[in-house]
Amino acid sequence: QVQLVESGGGSVQPGGSLRLSCTPSASIFNINYMGWYRQAPGKQRELLARITNGGMTNYADSVKGRFTISRDNAKNTVYLQMNSLKPEDTAVYYCNAVLQGSDYVSRNYWGQGTQVTVSS
């Protein structure tokens, strides 16, 4: 059973930076796309950024210009570099990916979530 393993969350002051990473826990055949969502208390989960197998990216307006999504294809790892963090960025951040296993079936996966807190 493939899982998405996240790391890099934590606490930071406003204006600071954090980098999240996410990688599948087992070997996979192909990555269709990977992305990052977040969910703040009392709010719906929102898509922040996504990167396709071909490297195309898209961002939510709320993070455009501050967050950057990237991939290391050799490691099957996706990163979210978060700069100029604001208190309103405080949330649980989730990695999401559509992966193809050895059976060539594409499945949707979620990470366990990592807390990001921006506070002075």
Side-chain angles (χ1 to χ4, degrees), residues 3-95:
Q3 295 179 332
L4 296 179
V5 180
E6 303 170 4
S7 62
S11 296
V12 66
Q13 292 186 339
S17 298
L18 285 173
R19 190 177 79 156
L20 307 180
S21 63
C22 171
T23 189
S25 61
S27 178
I28 56 169
F29 176 71
N30 186 45
I31 297 175
N32 296 106
Y33 64 80
M34 300 183 80
W36 290 95
Y37 287 70
R38 71 184 177 192
Q39 187 167 19
K43 294 188 177 181
Q44 289 188 332
R45 190 172 295 189
E46 63 169 329
L47 172 64
L48 299 178
R50 182 179 289 176
I51 185 166
T52 69
N53 194 29
M56 292 183 62
T57 59
N58 63 283
Y59 295 91
D61 288 342
S62 58
V63 303
K64 200 173 293 183
R66 299 189 299 124
F67 292 9
T68 302
I69 190 169
S70 61
R71 269 176 57 177
D72 183 331
N73 290 331
K75 298 179 180 179
N76 285 332
T77 298
V78 65
Y79 303 97
L80 186 68
Q81 178 67 43
M82 303 184 294
N83 298 328
S84 302
L85 283 162
K86 306 174 183 179
E88 51 263 43
D89 293 318
T90 296
V92 178
Y93 285 66
Y94 296 91
C95 178

